[in-house]
Amino acid sequence: MAVRTAVIPAAGMGTRFLPATRATPKELLPIYDTPALQFVIDEAIEAGCDRVIVVTSRTKPSIESYVAVAGTDKVAVSVVYQDAPLGLGHAVSCVRQVVGDEPFIVMLPDEIMGDASLTKQLVAQFETTGKSSIGLKRVATAEVSSYGNVKVADYSGGAESAVEVLQVVEKPKPADVVSDIVIIGRYVFAPIVFDKLDQVKPSASSEIQLTDALAMLAGERSLIGIVSEVARYDTGTPMGLLRAVIEIALQRKDIGAPLSAWLREKFSK
Ligand code: G1P
């Protein structure tokens, strides 16, 4: 079945970006002149979606204002509310009624990709195998504990390769790390994931972890990963956002050259 729906979880409080997020949700903080949310909507369209659902909180009305004008002739954009901060898995389960019995993409807006290649590969993988497929990346050992970490079968080391996921551990302690491969914020799910999320027991902090549903799929040999080398900007921290702004602005035709000239001048003194 073709994948035409993208879900963007955007209900978080953005506490790392206080005081800016008192007034502006972090998903609307600008990457030069474009909100992070718009980059992810554009990526969904490029990957073939004509429907985007933003999961947000009633405490962030400006997300709804932005969504109200984000639709185009190519894409319909709407919101679904997550009424309590109960985790990423819970955010995904909030779209069950709206998505219905269809596959869908989940795109975390804290991560901006250099292009839509990974999401397109995940869609193609799902459309070929019918199995849920997740974006993976190799990182330095010291970074693994900040992510969902996976053990995979028969990884040859090549870029852009599809692998079977055998085990998933969310933010493991250094002693529990299972590989140098981590989950990055792009997932394509078969609708069966909603049943798995229903079975997830809340964590100690009452959250429903998406990773627990992934672990169930992996346990049934129903989860594929694609190890990608796509450029990726993590805008989930203030420093990451600043780097993303500079890197993305440097690539723009309108301001890349003057920004580069200014930086050179600044650091040559
Ligand atoms: C979430 C997921 C984690 C994944 C990460 C990617 O964590 O829970 O498995 O590796 O996104 O960015 P978060 O960064 O929201 O804590």
Side-chain angles (χ1 to χ4, degrees), residues 3 7 36 40 46 49 60 85 95 104 107 110 128 131 134 141 153 155 167 180 185 232 241 245 247 267:
V3 180
V7 173
V40 187
E46 218 184 312
C49 293
K60 297 164 78 174
V95 302
F104 60 100
M107 310 173 81
D110 272 0
T128 309
K131 291 187 179 182
I134 61 175
T141 315
Y155 176 52
Q167 193 187 347
D180 65 350
R232 169 178 167 273
L241 178 70
V245 172
E247 296 248 22
F267 291 107

mmCIF file with all atom_site columns, all heavy atoms in Angstrom, residues 3 7 36 40 46 49 60 85 95 104 107 110 128 131 134 141 153 155 167 180 185 232 241 245 247 267:
data_model
loop_
_atom_site.group_PDB
_atom_site.id
_atom_site.type_symbol
_atom_site.label_atom_id
_atom_site.label_alt_id
_atom_site.label_comp_id
_atom_site.label_asym_id
_atom_site.label_entity_id
_atom_site.label_seq_id
_atom_site.pdbx_PDB_ins_code
_atom_site.Cartn_x
_atom_site.Cartn_y
_atom_site.Cartn_z
_atom_site.occupancy
_atom_site.B_iso_or_equiv
_atom_site.pdbx_formal_charge
_atom_site.auth_seq_id
_atom_site.auth_comp_id
_atom_site.auth_asym_id
_atom_site.auth_atom_id
_atom_site.pdbx_PDB_model_num
ATOM 1   N N   . VAL A 1 3   ? 2.378  4.890  0.736  1.00 0.00 ? 3   VAL A N   1
ATOM 2   C CA  . VAL A 1 3   ? 2.464  5.691  1.961  1.00 0.00 ? 3   VAL A CA  1
ATOM 3   C C   . VAL A 1 3   ? 2.192  7.145  1.584  1.00 0.00 ? 3   VAL A C   1
ATOM 4   O O   . VAL A 1 3   ? 2.927  7.734  0.787  1.00 0.00 ? 3   VAL A O   1
ATOM 5   C CB  . VAL A 1 3   ? 3.877  5.562  2.584  1.00 0.00 ? 3   VAL A CB  1
ATOM 6   C CG1 . VAL A 1 3   ? 3.974  6.392  3.855  1.00 0.00 ? 3   VAL A CG1 1
ATOM 7   C CG2 . VAL A 1 3   ? 4.216  4.103  2.858  1.00 0.00 ? 3   VAL A CG2 1
ATOM 8   N N   . VAL A 1 7   ? 3.265  11.977 9.926  1.00 0.00 ? 7   VAL A N   1
ATOM 9   C CA  . VAL A 1 7   ? 2.878  12.448 11.256 1.00 0.00 ? 7   VAL A CA  1
ATOM 10  C C   . VAL A 1 7   ? 4.099  13.137 11.881 1.00 0.00 ? 7   VAL A C   1
ATOM 11  O O   . VAL A 1 7   ? 5.199  12.575 11.892 1.00 0.00 ? 7   VAL A O   1
ATOM 12  C CB  . VAL A 1 7   ? 2.432  11.242 12.120 1.00 0.00 ? 7   VAL A CB  1
ATOM 13  C CG1 . VAL A 1 7   ? 2.192  11.672 13.563 1.00 0.00 ? 7   VAL A CG1 1
ATOM 14  C CG2 . VAL A 1 7   ? 1.189  10.587 11.513 1.00 0.00 ? 7   VAL A CG2 1
ATOM 15  N N   . ALA A 1 36  ? 11.547 25.319 11.526 1.00 0.00 ? 36  ALA A N   1
ATOM 16  C CA  . ALA A 1 36  ? 11.970 23.920 11.443 1.00 0.00 ? 36  ALA A CA  1
ATOM 17  C C   . ALA A 1 36  ? 10.808 23.049 10.949 1.00 0.00 ? 36  ALA A C   1
ATOM 18  O O   . ALA A 1 36  ? 10.994 22.158 10.113 1.00 0.00 ? 36  ALA A O   1
ATOM 19  C CB  . ALA A 1 36  ? 12.447 23.459 12.815 1.00 0.00 ? 36  ALA A CB  1
ATOM 20  N N   . VAL A 1 40  ? 10.337 20.027 7.633  1.00 0.00 ? 40  VAL A N   1
ATOM 21  C CA  . VAL A 1 40  ? 9.872  18.641 7.743  1.00 0.00 ? 40  VAL A CA  1
ATOM 22  C C   . VAL A 1 40  ? 8.629  18.429 6.868  1.00 0.00 ? 40  VAL A C   1
ATOM 23  O O   . VAL A 1 40  ? 8.489  17.388 6.218  1.00 0.00 ? 40  VAL A O   1
ATOM 24  C CB  . VAL A 1 40  ? 9.618  18.295 9.229  1.00 0.00 ? 40  VAL A CB  1
ATOM 25  C CG1 . VAL A 1 40  ? 9.301  16.817 9.386  1.00 0.00 ? 40  VAL A CG1 1
ATOM 26  C CG2 . VAL A 1 40  ? 10.851 18.627 10.054 1.00 0.00 ? 40  VAL A CG2 1
ATOM 27  N N   . GLU A 1 46  ? 8.130  15.854 -0.482 1.00 0.00 ? 46  GLU A N   1
ATOM 28  C CA  . GLU A 1 46  ? 9.109  15.288 -1.421 1.00 0.00 ? 46  GLU A CA  1
ATOM 29  C C   . GLU A 1 46  ? 9.106  13.765 -1.383 1.00 0.00 ? 46  GLU A C   1
ATOM 30  O O   . GLU A 1 46  ? 9.382  13.112 -2.389 1.00 0.00 ? 46  GLU A O   1
ATOM 31  C CB  . GLU A 1 46  ? 10.496 15.831 -1.093 1.00 0.00 ? 46  GLU A CB  1
ATOM 32  C CG  . GLU A 1 46  ? 11.292 16.099 -2.352 1.00 0.00 ? 46  GLU A CG  1
ATOM 33  C CD  . GLU A 1 46  ? 12.687 16.544 -2.042 1.00 0.00 ? 46  GLU A CD  1
ATOM 34  O OE1 . GLU A 1 46  ? 12.847 17.439 -1.192 1.00 0.00 ? 46  GLU A OE1 1
ATOM 35  O OE2 . GLU A 1 46  ? 13.622 15.985 -2.654 1.00 0.00 ? 46  GLU A OE2 1
ATOM 36  N N   . CYS A 1 49  ? 4.111  12.338 0.227  1.00 0.00 ? 49  CYS A N   1
ATOM 37  C CA  . CYS A 1 49  ? 2.918  12.467 1.076  1.00 0.00 ? 49  CYS A CA  1
ATOM 38  C C   . CYS A 1 49  ? 2.020  13.594 0.582  1.00 0.00 ? 49  CYS A C   1
ATOM 39  O O   . CYS A 1 49  ? 2.511  14.641 0.157  1.00 0.00 ? 49  CYS A O   1
ATOM 40  C CB  . CYS A 1 49  ? 3.308  12.771 2.520  1.00 0.00 ? 49  CYS A CB  1
ATOM 41  S SG  . CYS A 1 49  ? 4.171  11.403 3.291  1.00 0.00 ? 49  CYS A SG  1
ATOM 42  N N   . LYS A 1 60  ? 0.087  25.281 22.756 1.00 0.00 ? 60  LYS A N   1
ATOM 43  C CA  . LYS A 1 60  ? 0.916  25.841 21.679 1.00 0.00 ? 60  LYS A CA  1
ATOM 44  C C   . LYS A 1 60  ? 0.039  26.283 20.500 1.00 0.00 ? 60  LYS A C   1
ATOM 45  O O   . LYS A 1 60  ? 0.142  25.734 19.404 1.00 0.00 ? 60  LYS A O   1
ATOM 46  C CB  . LYS A 1 60  ? 1.936  24.790 21.227 1.00 0.00 ? 60  LYS A CB  1
ATOM 47  C CG  . LYS A 1 60  ? 2.917  24.413 22.338 1.00 0.00 ? 60  LYS A CG  1
ATOM 48  C CD  . LYS A 1 60  ? 3.669  23.130 22.039 1.00 0.00 ? 60  LYS A CD  1
ATOM 49  C CE  . LYS A 1 60  ? 4.789  23.303 21.075 1.00 0.00 ? 60  LYS A CE  1
ATOM 50  N NZ  . LYS A 1 60  ? 5.609  22.073 20.910 1.00 0.00 ? 60  LYS A NZ  1
ATOM 51  N N   . PRO A 1 85  ? 1.465  15.136 28.353 1.00 0.00 ? 85  PRO A N   1
ATOM 52  C CA  . PRO A 1 85  ? 2.827  14.825 27.883 1.00 0.00 ? 85  PRO A CA  1
ATOM 53  C C   . PRO A 1 85  ? 3.235  13.406 28.276 1.00 0.00 ? 85  PRO A C   1
ATOM 54  O O   . PRO A 1 85  ? 3.998  13.203 29.202 1.00 0.00 ? 85  PRO A O   1
ATOM 55  C CB  . PRO A 1 85  ? 3.686  15.887 28.598 1.00 0.00 ? 85  PRO A CB  1
ATOM 56  C CG  . PRO A 1 85  ? 2.931  16.213 29.839 1.00 0.00 ? 85  PRO A CG  1
ATOM 57  C CD  . PRO A 1 85  ? 1.473  15.978 29.565 1.00 0.00 ? 85  PRO A CD  1
ATOM 58  N N   . VAL A 1 95  ? -2.862 9.613  16.789 1.00 0.00 ? 95  VAL A N   1
ATOM 59  C CA  . VAL A 1 95  ? -3.318 9.804  15.402 1.00 0.00 ? 95  VAL A CA  1
ATOM 60  C C   . VAL A 1 95  ? -4.067 8.589  14.867 1.00 0.00 ? 95  VAL A C   1
ATOM 61  O O   . VAL A 1 95  ? -4.455 8.563  13.696 1.00 0.00 ? 95  VAL A O   1
ATOM 62  C CB  . VAL A 1 95  ? -2.158 10.160 14.433 1.00 0.00 ? 95  VAL A CB  1
ATOM 63  C CG1 . VAL A 1 95  ? -1.440 11.423 14.878 1.00 0.00 ? 95  VAL A CG1 1
ATOM 64  C CG2 . VAL A 1 95  ? -1.176 9.008  14.273 1.00 0.00 ? 95  VAL A CG2 1
ATOM 65  N N   . PHE A 1 104 ? 2.078  4.888  7.580  1.00 0.00 ? 104 PHE A N   1
ATOM 66  C CA  . PHE A 1 104 ? 2.353  6.319  7.732  1.00 0.00 ? 104 PHE A CA  1
ATOM 67  C C   . PHE A 1 104 ? 3.811  6.531  8.137  1.00 0.00 ? 104 PHE A C   1
ATOM 68  O O   . PHE A 1 104 ? 4.462  5.632  8.663  1.00 0.00 ? 104 PHE A O   1
ATOM 69  C CB  . PHE A 1 104 ? 1.405  6.959  8.764  1.00 0.00 ? 104 PHE A CB  1
ATOM 70  C CG  . PHE A 1 104 ? 1.509  6.374  10.148 1.00 0.00 ? 104 PHE A CG  1
ATOM 71  C CD1 . PHE A 1 104 ? 2.226  7.007  11.151 1.00 0.00 ? 104 PHE A CD1 1
ATOM 72  C CD2 . PHE A 1 104 ? 0.881  5.164  10.454 1.00 0.00 ? 104 PHE A CD2 1
ATOM 73  C CE1 . PHE A 1 104 ? 2.328  6.465  12.434 1.00 0.00 ? 104 PHE A CE1 1
ATOM 74  C CE2 . PHE A 1 104 ? 0.984  4.601  11.726 1.00 0.00 ? 104 PHE A CE2 1
ATOM 75  C CZ  . PHE A 1 104 ? 1.694  5.264  12.708 1.00 0.00 ? 104 PHE A CZ  1
ATOM 76  N N   . MET A 1 107 ? 7.959  11.672 11.523 1.00 0.00 ? 107 MET A N   1
ATOM 77  C CA  . MET A 1 107 ? 9.138  12.515 11.292 1.00 0.00 ? 107 MET A CA  1
ATOM 78  C C   . MET A 1 107 ? 9.328  13.411 12.511 1.00 0.00 ? 107 MET A C   1
ATOM 79  O O   . MET A 1 107 ? 8.456  14.225 12.827 1.00 0.00 ? 107 MET A O   1
ATOM 80  C CB  . MET A 1 107 ? 8.916  13.397 10.051 1.00 0.00 ? 107 MET A CB  1
ATOM 81  C CG  . MET A 1 107 ? 8.440  12.599 8.853  1.00 0.00 ? 107 MET A CG  1
ATOM 82  S SD  . MET A 1 107 ? 7.986  13.662 7.472  1.00 0.00 ? 107 MET A SD  1
ATOM 83  C CE  . MET A 1 107 ? 9.609  13.968 6.791  1.00 0.00 ? 107 MET A CE  1
ATOM 84  N N   . ASP A 1 110 ? 12.779 17.714 15.430 1.00 0.00 ? 110 ASP A N   1
ATOM 85  C CA  . ASP A 1 110 ? 14.069 18.123 16.017 1.00 0.00 ? 110 ASP A CA  1
ATOM 86  C C   . ASP A 1 110 ? 15.220 17.809 15.081 1.00 0.00 ? 110 ASP A C   1
ATOM 87  O O   . ASP A 1 110 ? 16.344 18.222 15.328 1.00 0.00 ? 110 ASP A O   1
ATOM 88  C CB  . ASP A 1 110 ? 14.347 17.303 17.288 1.00 0.00 ? 110 ASP A CB  1
ATOM 89  C CG  . ASP A 1 110 ? 13.766 17.943 18.510 1.00 0.00 ? 110 ASP A CG  1
ATOM 90  O OD1 . ASP A 1 110 ? 13.154 19.006 18.373 1.00 0.00 ? 110 ASP A OD1 1
ATOM 91  O OD2 . ASP A 1 110 ? 13.924 17.354 19.593 1.00 0.00 ? 110 ASP A OD2 1
ATOM 92  N N   . THR A 1 128 ? 7.990  -2.340 -0.525 1.00 0.00 ? 128 THR A N   1
ATOM 93  C CA  . THR A 1 128 ? 8.479  -3.621 -1.042 1.00 0.00 ? 128 THR A CA  1
ATOM 94  C C   . THR A 1 128 ? 8.200  -4.766 -0.066 1.00 0.00 ? 128 THR A C   1
ATOM 95  O O   . THR A 1 128 ? 7.798  -5.851 -0.465 1.00 0.00 ? 128 THR A O   1
ATOM 96  C CB  . THR A 1 128 ? 10.007 -3.552 -1.283 1.00 0.00 ? 128 THR A CB  1
ATOM 97  O OG1 . THR A 1 128 ? 10.276 -2.393 -2.052 1.00 0.00 ? 128 THR A OG1 1
ATOM 98  C CG2 . THR A 1 128 ? 10.519 -4.766 -2.030 1.00 0.00 ? 128 THR A CG2 1
ATOM 99  N N   . LYS A 1 131 ? 6.991  -4.227 5.778  1.00 0.00 ? 131 LYS A N   1
ATOM 100 C CA  . LYS A 1 131 ? 7.456  -4.167 7.171  1.00 0.00 ? 131 LYS A CA  1
ATOM 101 C C   . LYS A 1 131 ? 7.769  -2.725 7.579  1.00 0.00 ? 131 LYS A C   1
ATOM 102 O O   . LYS A 1 131 ? 8.287  -1.950 6.766  1.00 0.00 ? 131 LYS A O   1
ATOM 103 C CB  . LYS A 1 131 ? 8.731  -4.997 7.334  1.00 0.00 ? 131 LYS A CB  1
ATOM 104 C CG  . LYS A 1 131 ? 8.480  -6.484 7.195  1.00 0.00 ? 131 LYS A CG  1
ATOM 105 C CD  . LYS A 1 131 ? 9.735  -7.267 7.523  1.00 0.00 ? 131 LYS A CD  1
ATOM 106 C CE  . LYS A 1 131 ? 9.450  -8.759 7.398  1.00 0.00 ? 131 LYS A CE  1
ATOM 107 N NZ  . LYS A 1 131 ? 10.622 -9.563 7.754  1.00 0.00 ? 131 LYS A NZ  1
ATOM 108 N N   . ILE A 1 134 ? 12.840 1.845  9.762  1.00 0.00 ? 134 ILE A N   1
ATOM 109 C CA  . ILE A 1 134 ? 13.302 2.998  10.549 1.00 0.00 ? 134 ILE A CA  1
ATOM 110 C C   . ILE A 1 134 ? 14.674 3.487  10.081 1.00 0.00 ? 134 ILE A C   1
ATOM 111 O O   . ILE A 1 134 ? 15.504 2.710  9.627  1.00 0.00 ? 134 ILE A O   1
ATOM 112 C CB  . ILE A 1 134 ? 13.341 2.669  12.063 1.00 0.00 ? 134 ILE A CB  1
ATOM 113 C CG1 . ILE A 1 134 ? 14.314 1.519  12.370 1.00 0.00 ? 134 ILE A CG1 1
ATOM 114 C CG2 . ILE A 1 134 ? 11.948 2.313  12.561 1.00 0.00 ? 134 ILE A CG2 1
ATOM 115 C CD1 . ILE A 1 134 ? 14.479 1.251  13.873 1.00 0.00 ? 134 ILE A CD1 1
ATOM 116 N N   . THR A 1 141 ? 30.867 6.037  19.677 1.00 0.00 ? 141 THR A N   1
ATOM 117 C CA  . THR A 1 141 ? 30.391 5.270  20.833 1.00 0.00 ? 141 THR A CA  1
ATOM 118 C C   . THR A 1 141 ? 29.861 6.176  21.949 1.00 0.00 ? 141 THR A C   1
ATOM 119 O O   . THR A 1 141 ? 28.836 5.880  22.560 1.00 0.00 ? 141 THR A O   1
ATOM 120 C CB  . THR A 1 141 ? 31.539 4.395  21.385 1.00 0.00 ? 141 THR A CB  1
ATOM 121 O OG1 . THR A 1 141 ? 32.183 3.782  20.268 1.00 0.00 ? 141 THR A OG1 1
ATOM 122 C CG2 . THR A 1 141 ? 31.042 3.325  22.330 1.00 0.00 ? 141 THR A CG2 1
ATOM 123 N N   . ALA A 1 153 ? 21.010 -7.540 12.049 1.00 0.00 ? 153 ALA A N   1
ATOM 124 C CA  . ALA A 1 153 ? 21.561 -8.782 11.495 1.00 0.00 ? 153 ALA A CA  1
ATOM 125 C C   . ALA A 1 153 ? 22.396 -8.467 10.266 1.00 0.00 ? 153 ALA A C   1
ATOM 126 O O   . ALA A 1 153 ? 22.027 -7.621 9.457  1.00 0.00 ? 153 ALA A O   1
ATOM 127 C CB  . ALA A 1 153 ? 20.412 -9.722 11.114 1.00 0.00 ? 153 ALA A CB  1
ATOM 128 N N   . TYR A 1 155 ? 25.044 -6.823 9.084  1.00 0.00 ? 155 TYR A N   1
ATOM 129 C CA  . TYR A 1 155 ? 25.346 -5.494 8.529  1.00 0.00 ? 155 TYR A CA  1
ATOM 130 C C   . TYR A 1 155 ? 26.725 -5.535 7.885  1.00 0.00 ? 155 TYR A C   1
ATOM 131 O O   . TYR A 1 155 ? 27.720 -5.823 8.548  1.00 0.00 ? 155 TYR A O   1
ATOM 132 C CB  . TYR A 1 155 ? 25.278 -4.441 9.637  1.00 0.00 ? 155 TYR A CB  1
ATOM 133 C CG  . TYR A 1 155 ? 25.666 -3.066 9.173  1.00 0.00 ? 155 TYR A CG  1
ATOM 134 C CD1 . TYR A 1 155 ? 25.065 -2.496 8.047  1.00 0.00 ? 155 TYR A CD1 1
ATOM 135 C CD2 . TYR A 1 155 ? 26.630 -2.327 9.844  1.00 0.00 ? 155 TYR A CD2 1
ATOM 136 C CE1 . TYR A 1 155 ? 25.426 -1.233 7.609  1.00 0.00 ? 155 TYR A CE1 1
ATOM 137 C CE2 . TYR A 1 155 ? 26.991 -1.062 9.416  1.00 0.00 ? 155 TYR A CE2 1
ATOM 138 C CZ  . TYR A 1 155 ? 26.382 -0.527 8.302  1.00 0.00 ? 155 TYR A CZ  1
ATOM 139 O OH  . TYR A 1 155 ? 26.740 0.722  7.866  1.00 0.00 ? 155 TYR A OH  1
ATOM 140 N N   . GLN A 1 167 ? 17.160 -6.070 17.856 1.00 0.00 ? 167 GLN A N   1
ATOM 141 C CA  . GLN A 1 167 ? 16.985 -5.622 19.248 1.00 0.00 ? 167 GLN A CA  1
ATOM 142 C C   . GLN A 1 167 ? 17.005 -4.102 19.288 1.00 0.00 ? 167 GLN A C   1
ATOM 143 O O   . GLN A 1 167 ? 17.741 -3.471 18.507 1.00 0.00 ? 167 GLN A O   1
ATOM 144 C CB  . GLN A 1 167 ? 18.145 -6.184 20.088 1.00 0.00 ? 167 GLN A CB  1
ATOM 145 C CG  . GLN A 1 167 ? 17.931 -6.078 21.580 1.00 0.00 ? 167 GLN A CG  1
ATOM 146 C CD  . GLN A 1 167 ? 19.195 -6.487 22.360 1.00 0.00 ? 167 GLN A CD  1
ATOM 147 O OE1 . GLN A 1 167 ? 20.134 -7.057 21.800 1.00 0.00 ? 167 GLN A OE1 1
ATOM 148 N NE2 . GLN A 1 167 ? 19.206 -6.161 23.629 1.00 0.00 ? 167 GLN A NE2 1
ATOM 149 N N   . ASP A 1 180 ? 27.068 0.435  17.433 1.00 0.00 ? 180 ASP A N   1
ATOM 150 C CA  . ASP A 1 180 ? 27.270 1.876  17.231 1.00 0.00 ? 180 ASP A CA  1
ATOM 151 C C   . ASP A 1 180 ? 26.195 2.441  16.294 1.00 0.00 ? 180 ASP A C   1
ATOM 152 O O   . ASP A 1 180 ? 26.377 3.487  15.686 1.00 0.00 ? 180 ASP A O   1
ATOM 153 C CB  . ASP A 1 180 ? 28.684 2.153  16.687 1.00 0.00 ? 180 ASP A CB  1
ATOM 154 C CG  . ASP A 1 180 ? 28.902 1.567  15.298 1.00 0.00 ? 180 ASP A CG  1
ATOM 155 O OD1 . ASP A 1 180 ? 28.045 0.789  14.825 1.00 0.00 ? 180 ASP A OD1 1
ATOM 156 O OD2 . ASP A 1 180 ? 29.935 1.892  14.676 1.00 0.00 ? 180 ASP A OD2 1
ATOM 157 N N   . GLY A 1 185 ? 15.448 10.276 13.510 1.00 0.00 ? 185 GLY A N   1
ATOM 158 C CA  . GLY A 1 185 ? 14.014 10.557 13.601 1.00 0.00 ? 185 GLY A CA  1
ATOM 159 C C   . GLY A 1 185 ? 13.139 10.380 12.368 1.00 0.00 ? 185 GLY A C   1
ATOM 160 O O   . GLY A 1 185 ? 12.283 11.234 12.092 1.00 0.00 ? 185 GLY A O   1
ATOM 161 N N   . ARG A 1 232 ? 22.419 15.499 8.491  1.00 0.00 ? 232 ARG A N   1
ATOM 162 C CA  . ARG A 1 232 ? 21.376 15.600 9.512  1.00 0.00 ? 232 ARG A CA  1
ATOM 163 C C   . ARG A 1 232 ? 21.746 16.702 10.487 1.00 0.00 ? 232 ARG A C   1
ATOM 164 O O   . ARG A 1 232 ? 22.876 16.757 10.960 1.00 0.00 ? 232 ARG A O   1
ATOM 165 C CB  . ARG A 1 232 ? 21.318 14.239 10.208 1.00 0.00 ? 232 ARG A CB  1
ATOM 166 C CG  . ARG A 1 232 ? 20.505 14.157 11.441 1.00 0.00 ? 232 ARG A CG  1
ATOM 167 C CD  . ARG A 1 232 ? 20.542 12.724 11.958 1.00 0.00 ? 232 ARG A CD  1
ATOM 168 N NE  . ARG A 1 232 ? 20.036 12.675 13.297 1.00 0.00 ? 232 ARG A NE  1
ATOM 169 C CZ  . ARG A 1 232 ? 20.771 12.880 14.386 1.00 0.00 ? 232 ARG A CZ  1
ATOM 170 N NH1 . ARG A 1 232 ? 22.057 13.135 14.304 1.00 0.00 ? 232 ARG A NH1 1
ATOM 171 N NH2 . ARG A 1 232 ? 20.213 12.840 15.570 1.00 0.00 ? 232 ARG A NH2 1
ATOM 172 N N   . LEU A 1 241 ? 20.701 23.925 17.119 1.00 0.00 ? 241 LEU A N   1
ATOM 173 C CA  . LEU A 1 241 ? 19.882 24.829 16.293 1.00 0.00 ? 241 LEU A CA  1
ATOM 174 C C   . LEU A 1 241 ? 20.770 25.892 15.643 1.00 0.00 ? 241 LEU A C   1
ATOM 175 O O   . LEU A 1 241 ? 20.640 26.172 14.443 1.00 0.00 ? 241 LEU A O   1
ATOM 176 C CB  . LEU A 1 241 ? 18.801 25.492 17.154 1.00 0.00 ? 241 LEU A CB  1
ATOM 177 C CG  . LEU A 1 241 ? 17.912 26.486 16.415 1.00 0.00 ? 241 LEU A CG  1
ATOM 178 C CD1 . LEU A 1 241 ? 16.992 25.778 15.422 1.00 0.00 ? 241 LEU A CD1 1
ATOM 179 C CD2 . LEU A 1 241 ? 17.070 27.311 17.384 1.00 0.00 ? 241 LEU A CD2 1
ATOM 180 N N   . VAL A 1 245 ? 21.271 26.541 11.675 1.00 0.00 ? 245 VAL A N   1
ATOM 181 C CA  . VAL A 1 245 ? 21.009 27.825 11.019 1.00 0.00 ? 245 VAL A CA  1
ATOM 182 C C   . VAL A 1 245 ? 22.210 28.207 10.149 1.00 0.00 ? 245 VAL A C   1
ATOM 183 O O   . VAL A 1 245 ? 22.055 28.570 8.971  1.00 0.00 ? 245 VAL A O   1
ATOM 184 C CB  . VAL A 1 245 ? 20.726 28.934 12.066 1.00 0.00 ? 245 VAL A CB  1
ATOM 185 C CG1 . VAL A 1 245 ? 20.655 30.296 11.399 1.00 0.00 ? 245 VAL A CG1 1
ATOM 186 C CG2 . VAL A 1 245 ? 19.433 28.648 12.828 1.00 0.00 ? 245 VAL A CG2 1
ATOM 187 N N   . GLU A 1 247 ? 24.780 26.277 8.995  1.00 0.00 ? 247 GLU A N   1
ATOM 188 C CA  . GLU A 1 247 ? 25.055 25.323 7.892  1.00 0.00 ? 247 GLU A CA  1
ATOM 189 C C   . GLU A 1 247 ? 24.052 25.494 6.753  1.00 0.00 ? 247 GLU A C   1
ATOM 190 O O   . GLU A 1 247 ? 24.416 25.496 5.582  1.00 0.00 ? 247 GLU A O   1
ATOM 191 C CB  . GLU A 1 247 ? 24.965 23.890 8.416  1.00 0.00 ? 247 GLU A CB  1
ATOM 192 C CG  . GLU A 1 247 ? 26.001 23.568 9.463  1.00 0.00 ? 247 GLU A CG  1
ATOM 193 C CD  . GLU A 1 247 ? 27.024 22.570 8.965  1.00 0.00 ? 247 GLU A CD  1
ATOM 194 O OE1 . GLU A 1 247 ? 27.188 22.449 7.739  1.00 0.00 ? 247 GLU A OE1 1
ATOM 195 O OE2 . GLU A 1 247 ? 27.647 21.919 9.818  1.00 0.00 ? 247 GLU A OE2 1
ATOM 196 N N   . PHE A 1 267 ? 36.875 35.645 11.397 1.00 0.00 ? 267 PHE A N   1
ATOM 197 C CA  . PHE A 1 267 ? 37.850 34.742 12.013 1.00 0.00 ? 267 PHE A CA  1
ATOM 198 C C   . PHE A 1 267 ? 39.279 34.943 11.492 1.00 0.00 ? 267 PHE A C   1
ATOM 199 O O   . PHE A 1 267 ? 40.191 34.297 11.964 1.00 0.00 ? 267 PHE A O   1
ATOM 200 C CB  . PHE A 1 267 ? 37.367 33.294 11.859 1.00 0.00 ? 267 PHE A CB  1
ATOM 201 C CG  . PHE A 1 267 ? 36.169 33.035 12.702 1.00 0.00 ? 267 PHE A CG  1
ATOM 202 C CD1 . PHE A 1 267 ? 34.906 32.899 12.140 1.00 0.00 ? 267 PHE A CD1 1
ATOM 203 C CD2 . PHE A 1 267 ? 36.277 33.012 14.099 1.00 0.00 ? 267 PHE A CD2 1
ATOM 204 C CE1 . PHE A 1 267 ? 33.784 32.700 12.942 1.00 0.00 ? 267 PHE A CE1 1
ATOM 205 C CE2 . PHE A 1 267 ? 35.166 32.822 14.893 1.00 0.00 ? 267 PHE A CE2 1
ATOM 206 C CZ  . PHE A 1 267 ? 33.914 32.664 14.325 1.00 0.00 ? 267 PHE A CZ  1
#
